[in-house]
Amino acid sequence: MKSYLLLFLAPYFLATICSEEDPPVVVTEMVVQNQTSATLIFVTVSNNEIDIETGGQQYIIGGQDPSDAVVPSSLETFDSIVLYTRDSEGNLVEAYRQVPIDDRLWTFNDIGEFDKQYILVLRDEDLN
């Protein structure tokens, strides 16, 4: 009878052992803040164009780490950033290029315990 009772209670014991929470994950966002006099355009990997209006900002990519913020250059899929403007004929013209990513140009912003940001602030003098 005791073995039957133990067999019945085993899933409950295992559930309490396996229910420990995973360690929290720190999410870090890379954001471009446009302080220029032009609308900047970010072209995604899938060729979608995202406008970053003057005075606005745009999330570009994010990363996760179980213990700390992820610096921009450490993301495998984020080895460069190129932004464009439009000329008078509507064509894209390269306005800013960062190849490779230079962490010194990004400002760290601690949003909360598990949310972090790196912001690239662009001004007219940063553009080509």
Side-chain angles (χ1 to χ4, degrees), residues 78-99:
F78 190 56
D79 58 357
S80 65
I81 183 169
V82 180
L83 300 169
Y84 302 89
T85 57
R86 288 206 186 276
D87 65 13
S88 60
E89 297 173 2
N91 300 315
L92 291 178
V93 177
E94 186 176 305
Y96 181 82
R97 174 182 290 267
Q98 194 178 119
V99 180

Side-chain angles (χ1 to χ4, degrees), residues 4-16:
Y4 180 72
L5 183 59
L6 186 58
L7 187 62
F8 177 75
L9 294 176
Y12 296 105
F13 289 125
L14 290 175
T16 59

Side-chain angles (χ1 to χ4, degrees), residues 27-30 59-64 70 75 77:
V27 176
T28 308
E29 299 177 336
M30 308 311 155
Y59 163 85
I60 300 295
I61 194 168
Q64 296 180 351
V70 177
L75 295 173
T77 58

Side-chain angles (χ1 to χ4, degrees), residues 1-93:
M1 180 70 175
K2 287 183 183 180
S3 61
Y4 180 72
L5 183 59
L6 186 58
L7 187 62
F8 177 75
L9 294 176
Y12 296 105
F13 289 125
L14 290 175
T16 59
I17 292 171
C18 298
S19 69
E20 294 181 27
E21 290 185 30
D22 292 331
V25 173
V26 177
V27 176
T28 308
E29 299 177 336
M30 308 311 155
V31 173
V32 173
Q33 187 175 49
N34 184 1
Q35 294 296 321
T36 72
S37 58
T39 297
L40 299 175
I41 301 164
F42 176 70
V43 179
T44 66
V45 176
S46 59
N47 287 326
N48 292 325
E49 296 178 7
I50 300 172
D51 290 349
I52 309 170
E53 300 291 332
T54 299
Q57 64 182 26
Q58 177 63 48
Y59 163 85
I60 300 295
I61 194 168
Q64 296 180 351
D65 189 277
S67 61
D68 202 5
V70 177
V71 295
S73 65
S74 70
L75 295 173
E76 291 178 22
T77 58
F78 190 56
D79 58 357
S80 65
I81 183 169
V82 180
L83 300 169
Y84 302 89
T85 57
R86 288 206 186 276
D87 65 13
S88 60
E89 297 173 2
N91 300 315
L92 291 178
V93 177

